[in-house]
Amino acid sequence: MLSSAYTFELNQAVLHSLATISYFDGIHPTLACGITGGKVLIHTPHIPNSSNNFLNINKNIICLDGGRLDPSLNRDVLVIGSPSSLMAYDIDSNSDLFHTETKEGVTSLTLGSLSISGRDTPLALVGGNCSVKGFNKLGEEEFWTVSGDDVSAIGFFRTERNEKRLLVGGTDYAIRIFNNEELETEIMENAKITGFAEMDKGKFAYTLDNGGIGIYKGKHRAWKAKAKNKVLSIVSGDVTGDGVPDMILGWSNGKLEVRSENKGENIFKKSLKQTIAKVFYTDYRMQGKNQVIACTVAGRVLGYIKEDIPHKEQNAEAQQEDIEDLMRVKQILLNELQHYKDAAARSGSSILAPGTSLLVTLAPSPPRIFLSTSNSSLIKCAFVLGEGFFEGDSKFVHPARPSSELQIPIQNPKHLGLEVDIKALVCASAGASQLQVMERSIKIPKFCNFEYGDCKLPSGYVNFDFPQGNRLLNWLQDRFILNPSAIKPSAELQVSFLGESENLSFILTTNKLSIYTETLELAAEIAQDLISFFNIPELESRADYPHEIEKINGLMEKVEEYSNVRTQLSINMAENAQNVKALIVKAEDSRIQRNMGFFKQAMASLHQFNGELLSEFQIRTNNHNELLSYLKQVNQYIQRAGNLRYGQAKTRTIASFREAVKTKNMKMIAAAIISGGKAS
């Protein structure tokens, strides 16, 4: 389907994912790649007699992207993220647009536009420590929202109503969909999110750090696949020409793939034998037709173009593939039929009795899956598949001796609500040679780690109006392991659960629900789950968590302390750097004047200052890491306070909490948690 169009060498090793093709002069496509030594290679094939140019950043490059940041320039700019700063560079005019420090670090980057104050504004969107920031053409922060953990991927897609949404993937395995600063949907995956690509009709593709790929339509997964290797780059493009975007994937083992959006079928596959750093779908040759382009870490760039195959040949090729698929299915069915014939010819004592079935239930304290057979048949072993639920996504249980009952312990610390598939080998007797695979599935409650029972009320609580009180029991039975007769339906009730690290209580009165927990984190998670289950459009709440507010006060003091130390260290390093420059000039003057005594003295002082600079740099690095750790915890508290509410109340809470952090107003922080910043 695709044929090789061109291959060329950059003669430089390219860092993973650090490449972009942009129009830096507004006319010609240019390839910019991050290479070792804090440099960016600029490849400009359309300018006569041009060679590779290099841009010295002199910092560790974490991410880079190109695009329109200043519409008045009519050309793309290059934006580069380093561990603690962001810079925008206009390659055409060889000048900086801005250079700004980012306290919360830089872990991911993409250029795009969002609606700011009712106008579409181009922004450099930077993912960092539990937050996403948007910087305009002047380097000013115009957008900010909180995320649950470090941001590992940022992207965009459009809904079926053609409304733009922001995609944020994190190291906490969550995909978050934002409508500007407001979180609309949170989807849990089973590994760190590494990339996004916009597809068609409200769909987006995603990749995971464990080799997983898939497509979501809104918040519902269309399909998912997994491989042993990792996808390092993903883009979308209509490679087949059928009007529907396809997935273009670059793998860590050097495989270049094009997959269909429908079910992920392979359309094109090529092994390049070199790890792929980045893939593109653009017209790099300026011939009016896009190419599938792969840039490898070794610096080789390969372009592939669609072949124009006659319609008859395409049909013949498709028919041949269909025949091969049918032949494979036929062989599988023949093998299965022969297996049943062989089983029927054997002794009947080893065959299961008619009507034998596998029964699956859940049991508490400790939480476990309970398997049993409907008669005296025995369970030899069981295989349980639960994506993200078990290490390696699966668990195999093989008792020492077959039994009619089998218990499988489960743990759900991440509070995942999912369905697990169970496959058990069942036999008529311990020595039977014939085994039958029986398949069942069961839904694991989200809060199955909590056991129903009496406990002392936890010290913190959140309460809100809850007109859905008559349906609260439905939610409890769906989210916890409960005996159906344990709680009787009532307009007013009190229910408690015992947990490993903290207890949980619910008190329902007339149209009012109070949730008692020790931590803000659990309360926020419960509140968001209730909002999702009952489809609550707007939720105002009041909370009281004095211990959590004390912790936030301590965190703010630490942030202030480490920020002051960082400022002082920067001043000291700047002074030492000036001394080093002065000593270099003096040493060079002494060398020219052949004053070797003073030259040796200057070099000794230079060596001493260099050691001090290295030592201060290490101290500054440690200080920066500690500061990031405390900022991350503060951002997590901002998110938790917001998650106690929904809709406009949530937006107001996050804005109020963030303003309080900026102004170091502890009373305002407490008010944001207690009332969402709402004036009393």
Side-chain angles (χ1 to χ4, degrees):
M1 181 202 166
L2 296 179
S3 61
S4 178
Y6 53 85
T7 302
F8 61 86
E9 300 285 346
L10 297 174
N11 299 317
Q12 292 285 341
V14 178
L15 300 177
H16 290 168
S17 303
L18 297 187
T20 181
I21 293 179
S22 302
Y23 293 80
F24 296 122
D25 62 356
I27 302 171
H28 305 101
T30 299
L31 175 63
C33 303
I35 60 175
T36 56
K39 297 179 181 179
V40 177
L41 179 149
I42 311 295
H43 181 260
T44 52
H46 303 288
I47 299 176
N49 302 320
S50 67
S51 58
N52 291 343
N53 296 313
F54 296 91
L55 179 64
N56 288 316
I57 307 301
N58 295 323
K59 289 183 179 180
N60 184 24
I61 301 173
I62 301 297
C63 44
L64 61 80
D65 196 13
R68 296 288 171 100
L69 195 57
D70 185 354
S72 65
L73 291 177
N74 292 320
R75 59 179 180 267
D76 294 344
V77 298
L78 180 66
V79 182
I80 301 166
S82 63
S84 60
S85 64
L86 185 75
M87 69 167 288
Y89 186 74
D90 184 359
I91 289 177
D92 193 59
S93 65
N94 193 26
S95 62
D96 289 340
L97 259 68
F98 65 80
H99 185 284
T100 184
E101 292 291 320
T102 54
K103 269 188 180 182
E104 292 165 349
V106 177
T107 55
S108 55
L109 166 70
T110 194
L111 269 64
S113 59
L114 289 173
S115 179
I116 306 295
S117 302
R119 57 187 175 86
D120 207 36
T121 306
L123 297 172
L125 289 159
V126 178
N129 201 341
C130 295
S131 68
V132 179
K133 293 183 177 181
F135 296 90
N136 63 14
K137 62 184 179 181
L138 302 175
E140 298 168 341
E141 184 184 317
E142 287 209 29
F143 174 86
W144 182 90
T145 192
V146 68
S147 182
D149 210 327
D150 293 346
V151 177
S152 54
I154 305 176
F156 294 95
F157 87 108
R158 289 192 174 274
T159 66
E160 292 183 285
R161 296 181 179 179
N162 202 33
E163 298 170 341
K164 197 169 192 178
R165 295 293 184 265
L166 174 66
L167 294 167
V168 177
T171 55
D172 59 350
Y173 306 169
I175 297 173
R176 296 178 174 87
I177 302 176
F178 289 88
N179 181 4
N180 287 333
E181 294 181 352
E182 183 178 340
L183 177 64
E184 278 192 344
T185 305
E186 183 173 292
I187 305 166
M188 289 305 298
E189 274 295 334
N190 64 329
K192 183 177 79 172
I193 319 300
T194 56
F196 293 113
E198 182 178 0
M199 305 304 286
D200 193 32
K201 297 178 182 177
K203 298 178 182 178
F204 64 88
Y206 68 98
T207 60
L208 303 177
D209 190 46
N210 65 353
I213 59 173
I215 284 183
Y216 275 94
K217 186 174 183 180
K219 62 180 181 180
H220 303 290
R221 184 191 292 162
W223 60 266
K224 183 179 180 179
K226 188 177 178 183
K228 293 181 180 179
N229 299 290
K230 299 179 184 179
V231 176
L232 298 181
S233 180
I234 178 174
V235 293
S236 63
D238 185 11
V239 180
T240 55
D242 59 358
V244 179
D246 304 299
M247 298 168 61
I248 304 167
L249 306 165
W251 294 79
S252 57
N253 64 343
K255 182 170 61 176
L256 174 65
E257 277 188 341
V258 180
R259 293 188 178 220
S260 72
E261 179 199 73
N262 187 21
K263 293 182 180 179
E265 298 97 338
N266 239 312
I267 298 170
F268 172 78
K269 182 167 62 176
K270 180 75 173 179
S271 179
L272 306 184
K273 299 180 181 179
Q274 293 177 353
T275 299
I276 297 175
K278 195 80 172 180
V279 292
F280 309 94
Y281 185 65
T282 188
D283 184 11
Y284 197 56
R285 301 181 82 180
M286 299 186 71
Q287 293 181 341
K289 186 181 288 187
N290 285 352
Q291 305 103 46
V292 173
I293 304 168
C295 177
T296 70
V297 295
R300 176 175 293 175
V301 180
L302 306 98
Y304 295 88
I305 199 163
K306 182 186 175 186
E307 293 178 309
D308 294 324
I309 303 173
H311 186 65
K312 287 184 179 180
E313 292 184 20
Q314 289 186 26
N315 286 342
E317 186 178 340
Q319 288 175 1
Q320 184 61 34
E321 289 178 357
D322 289 341
I323 290 171
E324 290 175 1
D325 290 340
L326 289 171
M327 290 299 292
R328 280 194 290 269
V329 173
K330 178 184 176 182
Q331 189 59 49
I332 291 170
L333 292 173
L334 287 172
N335 291 339
E336 191 172 346
L337 180 61
Q338 186 61 44
H339 173 76
Y340 285 126
K341 287 180 179 179
D342 293 343
R346 296 175 190 270
S347 173
S349 62
S350 64
I351 299 175
L352 288 177
T356 301
S357 61
L358 182 68
L359 308 177
V360 183
T361 56
L362 291 170
S365 73
R368 59 199 185 277
I369 300 171
F370 188 80
L371 304 181
S372 62
T373 59
S374 57
N375 49 36
S376 59
S377 302
L378 305 177
I379 302 171
K380 191 166 187 178
C381 59
F383 176 77
V384 188
L385 181 64
E387 187 181 297
F389 195 72
F390 302 106
E391 186 178 352
D393 296 340
S394 61
K395 187 183 184 90
F396 183 73
V397 181
H398 194 301
R401 297 185 64 182
S403 170
S404 60
E405 296 179 349
L406 182 63
Q407 298 187 37
I408 305 171
I410 56 174
Q411 287 294 324
N412 192 9
K414 294 180 182 178
H415 299 157
L416 300 175
L418 79 165
E419 193 171 86
V420 298
D421 297 317
I422 302 165
K423 297 182 180 182
L425 284 178
V426 181
C427 54
S429 61
S433 59
Q434 294 298 311
L435 303 174
Q436 184 173 332
V437 178
M438 291 191 172
E439 299 185 18
R440 294 290 183 273
S441 61
I442 190 169
K443 184 179 179 182
I444 303 296
K446 190 170 184 178
F447 303 105
C448 66
N449 279 10
F450 289 89
E451 179 188 351
Y452 176 67
D454 295 329
C455 68
K456 181 182 176 182
L457 280 180
S459 59
Y461 71 87
V462 56
N463 59 42
F464 44 83
D465 292 334
F466 193 67
Q468 300 87 352
N470 60 335
R471 292 192 292 142
L472 179 63
L473 187 56
N474 297 338
W475 176 82
L476 290 170
Q477 290 175 339
D478 189 77
R479 296 300 196 255
F480 298 84
I481 300 177
L482 278 177
N483 188 321
S485 60
I487 307 172
K488 295 181 179 180
S490 173
E492 297 188 5
L493 57 85
Q494 179 172 342
V495 184
S496 296
F497 295 91
L498 305 171
E500 291 182 0
S501 57
E502 62 176 309
N503 297 329
L504 169 64
S505 294
F506 299 90
I507 297 180
L508 177 67
T509 56
T510 307
N511 292 334
K512 198 86 171 178
L513 179 63
S514 298
I515 304 169
Y516 288 82
T517 65
E518 294 293 346
T519 63
L520 203 60
E521 181 180 7
L522 180 59
E525 191 172 358
I526 295 283
Q528 286 298 305
D529 196 67
L530 285 165
I531 290 164
S532 175
F533 187 87
F534 293 104
N535 197 24
I536 300 172
E538 186 78 24
L539 184 71
E540 285 277 7
S541 66
R542 286 191 65 82
D544 185 21
Y545 283 89
H547 297 305
E548 298 283 61
I549 292 172
E550 286 180 15
K551 287 181 183 178
I552 296 170
N553 290 344
L555 287 173
M556 291 300 297
E557 290 174 2
K558 288 290 185 180
V559 168
E560 179 72 12
E561 176 188 339
Y562 279 95
S563 295
N564 292 337
V565 171
R566 180 184 181 183
T567 302
Q568 187 58 49
L569 287 171
S570 298
I571 293 170
N572 294 343
M573 288 185 71
E575 290 177 354
N576 282 339
Q578 290 297 324
N579 291 333
V580 167
K581 290 178 183 178
L583 283 171
I584 289 173
V585 172
K586 289 179 180 179
E588 181 62 13
D589 288 344
S590 301
R591 184 188 67 80
I592 294 171
Q593 296 171 6
R594 298 176 183 262
N595 186 347
M596 292 298 107
F598 193 81
F599 176 77
K600 289 180 180 179
Q601 184 180 346
M603 292 302 292
S605 299
L606 186 62
H607 183 269
Q608 179 184 346
F609 273 116
N610 184 59
E612 291 177 5
L613 277 172
L614 289 172
S615 176
E616 287 185 1
F617 174 77
Q618 187 59 49
I619 294 171
R620 191 172 186 266
T621 299
N622 294 337
N623 178 81
H624 176 72
N625 291 335
E626 289 293 328
L627 179 60
L628 282 182
S629 173
Y630 290 120
L631 285 171
K632 178 177 180 177
Q633 293 179 62
V634 171
N635 282 333
Q636 286 174 336
Y637 273 112
I638 293 174
Q639 186 187 41
R640 292 164 190 166
N643 284 343
L644 295 176
R645 288 111 193 156
Y646 193 68
Q648 293 299 318
K650 179 176 182 177
T651 304
R652 185 193 66 238
T653 301
I654 291 174
S656 175
F657 203 133
R658 186 167 185 249
E659 183 61 30
V661 170
K662 278 185 173 181
T663 57
K664 304 177 180 64
N665 188 331
M666 300 313 301
K667 289 184 178 179
M668 195 172 172
I669 287 176
I673 292 175
I674 294 168
S675 63
K678 187 178 180 181
S680 53

